[in-house]
């Protein structure tokens, strides 16, 4: 385990305040915050953020990025999430695709994609989950068959966030048969505007339409859009998940809820409520330290998949329990059209069940941790 205490340097702390000041001057007074990574899809905001060098921060300068550390990116992202900023357009490309391209992509892929990601001009979705598979990524049925000049991909992906708005997604698919369920998998970069791609919305319980089913019907993917090595998809995805599971997006979904409750009712807290909020703050700070330690280890070249799984587990459980605690303290009927606190509480109640599902269920994450702690490997 690498959960080593990691204090921030003066420069890192200064960056945090710079981002906070910029957000205060950029977001309108009547801005409606999102729930952490549930912020709106706003390409204009992403491009404005990119002009500050805060999109694709960890991308090296020769590819158009800021060449910043993972911890520096952590601090910027933390401020964006805390503000509920509209980050959805660039989120996946910045958090996950860019590191994967840097680690596994070809030089041509890096030179084509990375400057566009850093400029806030190229947006990605994830192509991992499939129907009837839950969070079992190895249950992939999407196939890619070798054809002249590339691969022909057929299958269905689900829960593909913003596929109707983004430009590409990285598809995990089977390129060969294997007795090992983790073998024979590969990753292909698929243009979402390609012939044979059909994107259909999946309505959520709150009426939102930002996740999709994506059907791939004999979609041609040229050889130069293969990410990494054919047959190494499982190892690549496992490394990629360290970026997905450990960040502040796994424990900050409820910060806006807490802030707005305290803004509206903070002067009226009784002892029991004050104690409950104190415990929430202590847990939040502890989880943040774990998440920050993972970011520091990524800067040191580690691939802490097990530690990332643990952060995601404790972070999302914390978020769900916090919603219930605040709901009990508020002791009121939920009113989606009420005050900002009421609106956020309604959104939290509807969305909280998904927080322990997306990015790997609690059961999957604890299986990863158990295998690692008993010597069975990270997956």
């Amino acid at each position: 385990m690498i959960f080593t205490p990691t204090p921030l340097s003066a420069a890192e702390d200064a960056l945090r305040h710079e981002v906070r000041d910029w957000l205060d001057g950029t977001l309108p007074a009547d801005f409606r915050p999102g729930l952490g990574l549930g912020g709106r899809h706003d390409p204009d905001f992403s491009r404005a953020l990119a002009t500050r060098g805060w999109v694709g921060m960890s991308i090296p300068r020769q590819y158009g990025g800021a060449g910043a550390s993972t911890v520096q990116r952590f601090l910027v992202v933390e401020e964006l999430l805390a503000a509920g900023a509209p980050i959805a357009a660039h989120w996946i490309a910045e958090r996950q695709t860019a590191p994967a391209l840097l680690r596994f992509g070809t030089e041509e892929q890096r030179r084509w994609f990375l400057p566009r990601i850093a400029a806030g001009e190229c947006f990605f979705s994830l192509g991992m989950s499939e129907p009837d598979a839950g969070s079992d990524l190895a249950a992939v049925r999407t196939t890619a068959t070798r054809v002249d000049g590339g691969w022909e991909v057929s299958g269905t992906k689900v829960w593909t966030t913003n596929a109707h708005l983004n430009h590409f997604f990285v598809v995990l698919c089977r390129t060969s048969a294997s007795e090992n369920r983790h073998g024979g998998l590969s990753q292909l970069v698929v243009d979402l505007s390609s012939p044979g791609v059909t994107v259909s919305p999946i309505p959520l319980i709150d009426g939102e339409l930002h996740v999709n089913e994506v059907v791939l019907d004999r979609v041609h993917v040229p050889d130069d859009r293969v990410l990494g090595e054919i047959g190494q998809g499982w190892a690549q995805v496992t490394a990629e998940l360290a970026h997905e599971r450990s960040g502040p997006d796994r424990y900050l979904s409820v910060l806006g809820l807490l802030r707005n409750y305290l803004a509206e009712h903070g002067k009226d807290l009784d002892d029991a409520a004050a104690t409950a909020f104190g415990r929430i703050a202590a847990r939040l700070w502890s989880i943040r330290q774990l998440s920050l330690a993972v970011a520091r280890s990524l800067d040191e070249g580690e691939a802490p998949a097990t530690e990332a799984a643990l952060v995601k587990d404790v972070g999302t459980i914390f978020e769900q329990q916090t919603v219930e605690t605040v709901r009990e303290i508020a002791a009121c009927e939920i009113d989606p059209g009420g005050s900002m606190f009421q609106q956020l509480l309604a959104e939290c109640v509807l969305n909280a069940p998904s927080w322990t599902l997306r990015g790997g269920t609690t059961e999957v994450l604890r299986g990863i941790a158990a295998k690692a702690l008993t010597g069975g490997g990270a997956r």
Side-chain angles (χ1 to χ4, degrees):
M1 292 292 132
I2 49 72
F3 292 128
T4 305
T6 177
L8 299 178
S9 68
E12 289 169 340
D13 203 42
L15 174 62
R16 160 191 311 289
H17 288 287
E18 182 183 353
V19 178
R20 191 174 297 181
D21 291 343
W22 183 80
L23 287 168
D24 285 344
T26 300
L27 297 176
D30 60 348
F31 173 69
R32 163 65 157 84
L35 299 181
L37 60 80
R40 294 193 327 274
H41 191 286
D42 185 343
D44 290 339
F45 178 84
S46 295
R47 284 189 283 270
L49 197 66
T51 63
R52 305 285 304 197
W54 292 337
V55 175
M57 287 184 68
S58 344
I59 295 173
R61 293 183 183 279
Q62 67 262 38
Y63 300 121
S69 68
T70 305
V71 169
Q72 288 173 313
R73 178 188 174 275
F74 175 102
L75 297 171
V76 171
V77 166
E78 190 174 49
E79 289 302 316
L80 293 170
L81 294 169
I87 55 172
H90 67 270
W91 181 253
I92 296 299
E94 209 260 354
R95 179 189 69 178
Q96 213 153 322
T97 311
L101 288 165
L102 282 168
R103 186 165 182 180
F104 304 113
T106 64
E107 185 62 16
E108 185 276 336
Q109 289 171 344
R110 293 172 187 157
R111 293 197 177 280
W112 199 91
F113 284 110
L114 295 179
R116 290 168 171 80
I117 291 174
E121 299 285 354
C122 183
F123 307 137
F124 272 78
S125 298
L126 296 175
M128 295 185 186
S129 299
E130 299 205 357
D132 306 318
S135 287
D136 184 3
L137 294 183
V140 169
R141 291 180 293 184
T142 295
T143 59
T145 305
R146 196 79 177 94
V147 295
D148 186 29
W151 298 82
E152 191 173 84
V153 186
S154 293
T156 300
K157 296 293 180 181
V158 291
W159 312 119
T160 311
T161 304
N162 292 320
H164 60 306
L165 299 172
N166 292 340
H167 305 106
F168 298 92
F169 73 151
V170 179
V171 171
L172 182 66
C173 57
R174 292 206 171 277
T175 46
S176 64
S178 173
E179 292 184 359
N180 178 352
R181 65 198 301 265
H182 296 160
L185 296 171
S186 303
Q187 288 183 295
L188 306 180
V189 179
V190 176
D191 187 333
L192 284 163
S193 65
S194 298
V197 176
T198 303
V199 180
S200 304
I202 301 174
L204 298 180
I205 193 172
D206 61 358
E208 293 290 331
L209 297 172
H210 59 264
V211 299
N212 300 276
E213 174 191 77
V214 182
V215 176
L216 303 157
D217 182 13
R218 301 180 65 183
V219 177
H220 180 78
V221 179
D223 281 325
D224 61 7
R225 291 293 167 86
V226 173
L227 177 60
E229 294 183 38
I230 290 295
Q232 294 300 308
W234 186 256
Q236 293 174 197
V237 164
T238 301
E240 187 180 323
L241 290 175
H243 294 272
E244 177 183 354
R245 289 175 170 165
S246 62
D249 46 312
R250 300 306 182 186
Y251 56 88
L252 283 180
S253 302
V254 293
L255 189 61
L257 178 73
L258 295 170
R259 282 177 166 170
N260 279 277
Y261 182 83
L262 292 173
E264 293 180 22
H265 306 287
K267 294 180 180 178
D268 304 321
L269 293 183
D270 58 23
D271 288 346
T275 300
F277 274 98
R279 287 174 174 160
I280 288 171
R283 290 180 67 189
L284 177 61
W285 189 252
S286 300
I287 295 167
R288 177 186 184 271
Q289 295 307 306
L290 300 178
S291 179
L292 186 56
V294 172
R296 195 72 85 184
S297 76
L298 287 168
D299 277 336
E300 294 167 353
E302 303 291 336
T306 303
E307 290 84 352
L310 287 170
V311 171
K312 201 254 175 194
D313 180 22
V314 298
T316 53
I317 292 289
F318 160 77
E319 290 182 322
Q320 290 182 335
Q321 292 175 341
T322 296
V323 173
E324 287 307 305
T325 299
V326 173
R327 187 179 179 183
E328 291 173 6
I329 292 173
C332 59
E333 293 295 323
I334 297 174
D335 179 7
S339 67
M340 183 64 76
F341 164 70
Q342 285 282 356
Q343 294 177 42
L344 291 173
L345 179 60
E347 191 173 346
C348 281
V349 168
L350 290 173
N351 284 276
S354 71
W355 294 340
T356 52
L357 299 177
R358 63 191 185 191
T361 65
T362 297
E363 290 76 13
V364 168
L365 298 172
R366 292 180 181 178
I368 293 170
K371 287 179 182 177
L373 293 171
T374 58
R379 295 290 297 192

